[in-house]
Amino acid sequence: MAVDDECKLKFSELKTKRNYRFIIFKIEDQKVVVEKVGSPEESYEDFSASLPADECRYSVFDFDFTTEENCQKSKIFFIAWSPETARVRMKMVYASSKDRFKRELDGIQVELQATDPSEMSFDIVKCRAL
């Protein structure tokens, strides 16, 4: 599975310049490509609403939070979205390519696998960040 250079470039911009809140990637013609980027002003709800209900996607989300000590922090989440309603072949392709793609994105701090919106709720993300 090839990875488009734009994927690494956009991820690097999210990580170092914080130009984006999230990036959604999809596999197209045996290649991982950027499908959508979210501006820094967009929320977690905007991000989760951008994931298709019946197709798999990879995504990264830059999650800002405040610790109990009142420190502002940020963690970069990698979320593998594989809804139950996606075609079996699609789920297999995304599952078998996930680790290879994730290695291309240096700086992932937390990984989530979700088959249903409840498995990647804001509360779950918040708990995993702390």
Side-chain angles (χ1 to χ4, degrees), residues 4-130:
D4 191 70
D5 287 341
E6 188 188 14
C7 296
K8 293 179 259 189
L9 179 68
K10 295 282 189 214
F11 178 74
S12 176
E13 290 173 1
L14 176 143
K15 185 173 77 171
T16 57
K17 299 179 186 163
R18 310 206 58 203
N19 288 3
Y20 313 109
R21 174 66 54 203
F22 63 84
I23 308 169
I24 297 175
F25 307 94
K26 70 177 182 176
I27 296 175
E28 193 173 76
D29 301 325
Q30 299 297 304
K31 190 179 209 181
V32 181
V33 297
V34 172
E35 180 179 52
K36 179 177 181 174
V37 293
S39 70
E41 298 77 40
E42 292 194 64
S43 68
Y44 188 75
E45 287 71 30
D46 296 326
F47 160 68
S48 52
S50 299
L51 294 169
D54 57 356
E55 289 183 19
C56 301
R57 292 292 186 271
Y58 301 128
S59 57
V60 289
F61 185 83
D62 187 8
F63 182 69
D64 293 325
F65 62 99
T66 306
T67 65
E68 288 179 15
E69 296 81 32
N70 211 25
C71 294
Q72 285 292 107
K73 289 206 168 184
S74 162
K75 286 212 174 157
I76 297 175
F77 277 74
F78 177 87
I79 300 172
W81 172 243
S82 185
E84 297 286 339
T85 54
R87 293 189 319 276
V88 172
R89 170 135 177 73
M90 179 182 273
K91 289 195 262 191
M92 287 170 54
V93 168
Y94 273 79
S96 63
S97 307
K98 181 181 78 171
D99 289 337
R100 156 107 172 68
F101 176 58
K102 208 174 76 174
R103 278 195 298 272
E104 299 282 339
L105 308 178
D106 184 39
I108 300 289
Q109 294 162 301
V110 185
E111 180 182 344
L112 275 181
Q113 172 80 38
T115 59
D116 179 84
S118 67
E119 294 176 357
M120 53 175 270
S121 69
F122 184 78
D123 289 340
I124 289 174
V125 169
K126 195 169 155 186
C127 285
R128 292 288 302 272
L130 300 173

